[in-house]
Amino acid sequence: MARTYFGTDGIRGRTNEGVMTAEIAMKVGQAAGTHFLRGGHRHRVVIGKDTRLSGYMVESALVAGFTSVGMDVIMTGPLPTPAIALLTREMRADLGVMISASHNPFEDNGIKLFGPDGYKLSDEAEMAIETLMTQQPLLVSPDRIGRARRIDDASGRYIHAVKQSVASDVRFDGLKVVVDCANGAAYKVAPSAIWELGAEVIAMGVEPNGTNINRDVGSTSLDAIKARVVAEGAHIGIALDGDADRLIVIDEKGNTVDGDQIMGLIATRLNERGDLKGGGVVATVMSNLGLERYLERQGLTLERTKVGDRYVLERMRQGGFNVGGEQSGHMILSDYGTTGDGTVAALRVLASVVRFGKPASELLHVFDPVPQLLKNVRYSGGKPLENETVKSVIAEAEKELEGKGRLVIRPSGTEPVIRVMAEGDDARQVETVVDRICDAVREAA
């Protein structure tokens, strides 16, 4: 059955258009509240948000929806996505909601739902909620309408929780750390957690005004933090995205360290201590072949999934893995949380810097990535990947790269774009292969 509202990561869109209106948000609250009403206890939902201006509107609409079907609401204010997953479990809530469009610009917003276990909802649960959204809501009698309240200690609870991800004897004294919070949800908690562990913190992207989230700062806009790390003579830079489930690291020389290198470092350290579970790491088809080869040399595996942190997490739960993520910076360390958490991953990286006393540029260069190239081809209609000429060109490319590289071709889930990625030991060959396929797609589109 086709989805109307939910995409690969909740509901997301441009505010006041399409699926992201106050009316739809209220329907989500009513439908999700109804779906999770079970048993005779007083039901409750935890709602958090990032710093977008539209967060107030979406939050108010959700509160109206949930309370109208008899569910109490606890509002936390701006907090990272993983904090809402954590608080949903800790507060014995029946449901958790994060209002965020992650790394998107402020004009967009989104609604992510978590079950009582703190995990994102299954496809089946989302479809059940969509079905309820098409039906007349089951409004409760006036005496059973839910209550709403804000809690003031949510930030402190989350800071305390993330600090437990490093050993009690680890201190960050002597480390100078630039922390870029993207003017987003972690603008208070991430610098505070790192400072409380002893580091000298230079915070940036911590002045949200409702419209500057992810604008020229954060994990998807790295020029500012790169310059700041070098200018301040910092040991390392930590860049989060708008809802703080992504992490990109900047070494002391101003170089980017992506999610593949971070996963490689964390998995190696856990494996050395005998704490790595599942026999390897779970990542997506976009992770570099260099990471796969590096893990193989240690007798570990790299299991690949479709693009999207929810697919990574599904495989982690199935196979008992405790390290997974995406090259783009989603870091899932399941010993410490039920979803991606950039702050927890950052603390693990900083702990390794302290323990080994090596510069970040050395410690975080875990493997040599093979040349990788990704290009996007926009098309106006049709299904270019079903064109016979395109299929033939792709088949030839796969044969050419066999044993020497990989080819990943996929349509975007959010726009009319074909993503063409190739990697291999020969950079010139990789570029030639990608260009050949892109030309064929353009001609077929």
Side-chain angles (χ1 to χ4, degrees), residues 61 82 91 97 101 125 135 145 160 168-169 210 219 240 253 261 371 383 394 417 425 444:
M91 302 189 76
V97 183
Q135 301 172 2
I145 290 174
H160 175 76
S168 58
D169 63 335
S219 64
L240 305 172
K253 298 178 181 179
Q261 298 283 1
K383 297 181 178 180
I394 292 173
V417 166
D425 298 315

Side-chain angles (χ1 to χ4, degrees), residues 378-382 384 416 445:
R378 187 170 293 274
Y379 62 96
S380 56

Side-chain angles (χ1 to χ4, degrees), residues 16-173:
N16 272 349
E17 297 179 9
V19 299
M20 197 44 57
T21 64
E23 179 184 10
I24 295 297
M26 187 172 73
K27 286 184 178 180
V28 171
Q30 291 173 326
T34 299
H35 180 72
F36 280 92
L37 287 174
R38 56 195 73 186
H41 63 280
R42 189 73 188 179
H43 291 76
R44 60 171 54 166
V45 55
V46 175
I47 300 180
K49 60 183 179 180
D50 63 22
T51 57
R52 293 163 210 273
L53 178 62
S54 58
Y56 295 101
M57 178 191 79
V58 178
E59 179 185 59
S60 297
L62 283 167
V63 170
F66 281 116
T67 54
S68 72
V69 296
M71 190 169 268
D72 291 339
V73 177
I74 298 169
M75 294 172 284
T76 70
L79 272 185
T81 290
I84 302 308
L86 169 76
L87 289 170
T88 299
R89 297 195 325 272
E90 276 202 350
M91 302 189 76
R92 308 301 190 268
D94 301 277
L95 181 63
V97 183
M98 179 64 183
I99 304 167
S100 175
S102 190
H103 58 282
N104 287 26
F106 91 92
E107 294 91 346
D108 295 345
N109 215 329
I111 299 172
K112 302 179 184 181
L113 302 178
F114 295 92
D117 57 1
Y119 287 98
K120 291 179 181 178
L121 300 189
S122 65
D123 290 340
E124 292 75 18
E126 289 179 347
M127 286 305 303
I129 291 170
E130 284 212 3
T131 299
L132 287 169
M133 288 174 67
T134 67
Q135 301 172 2
Q136 192 69 21
L138 300 175
L139 303 180
V140 298
S141 59
D143 61 312
R144 293 176 53 214
I145 290 174
R147 299 176 183 272
R149 60 175 291 186
R150 292 189 180 274
I151 57 172
D152 298 324
D153 63 344
S155 295
R157 293 187 189 206
Y158 177 65
I159 291 170
H160 175 76
V162 298
K163 286 164 57 182
Q164 306 312 302
S165 64
V166 296
S168 58
D169 63 335
V170 173
R171 298 182 56 89
F172 296 163
D173 300 65

Side-chain angles (χ1 to χ4, degrees), residues 176-183 200-207 216-218 221-239 250-255:
K176 181 185 282 192
V177 184
V178 177
V179 182
D180 181 350
C181 298
N183 290 319
E200 176 186 350
V201 173
I202 301 161
M204 57 183 291
V206 290
E207 298 178 350
D216 301 325
V217 285
S221 187
L222 297 170
D223 289 347
I225 187 174
K226 287 181 176 182
R228 192 73 179 273
V229 167
V230 174
E232 297 281 356
H235 297 96
I236 196 169
I238 300 299
I250 306 300
D251 70 23
E252 80 282 1
K253 298 178 181 179
N255 297 317

Side-chain angles (χ1 to χ4, degrees), residues 291-353:
L291 173 60
E292 185 172 343
R293 291 172 174 174
Y294 167 76
L295 293 171
E296 285 177 351
R297 290 195 293 272
Q298 299 182 68
L300 303 174
T301 62
L302 178 66
E303 295 212 15
R304 297 182 183 271
T305 72
K306 294 189 294 185
V307 172
D309 62 317
R310 69 179 295 173
Y311 302 113
V312 173
L313 183 56
E314 284 176 7
R315 179 63 194 125
M316 289 176 68
R317 296 181 73 183
Q318 291 168 357
F321 295 86
N322 60 346
V323 177
E326 296 189 274
Q327 188 183 68
S328 60
H330 281 118
M331 292 291 115
I332 304 174
L333 306 178
S334 61
D335 289 339
Y336 310 108
T338 56
T339 190
D341 194 326
T343 305
V344 165
L347 296 185
R348 300 295 303 177
V349 169
L350 294 174
S352 290
V353 171

Side-chain angles (χ1 to χ4, degrees), residues 343-423:
T343 305
V344 165
L347 296 185
R348 300 295 303 177
V349 169
L350 294 174
S352 290
V353 171
V354 169
R355 282 193 181 278
F356 292 93
K358 296 180 179 180
S361 57
E362 181 180 342
L363 183 71
L364 285 156
H365 187 83
V366 179
F367 65 89
D368 292 325
V370 304
Q372 186 182 77
L373 181 63
L374 169 66
K375 289 189 177 183
N376 297 324
V377 183
R378 187 170 293 274
Y379 62 96
S380 56
K383 297 181 178 180
L385 294 183
E386 295 182 8
N387 179 274
E388 291 303 320
T389 300
V390 173
K391 288 182 179 179
S392 176
V393 172
I394 292 173
E396 290 174 6
E398 289 175 335
K399 185 175 181 180
E400 189 175 335
L401 288 173
E402 188 175 0
K404 298 177 289 184
R406 291 192 313 123
L407 183 64
V408 178
I409 302 169
R410 63 184 185 89
S412 167
T414 59
E415 54 185 334
V417 166
I418 302 296
R419 307 195 193 284
V420 181
M421 190 278 282
E423 61 181 355

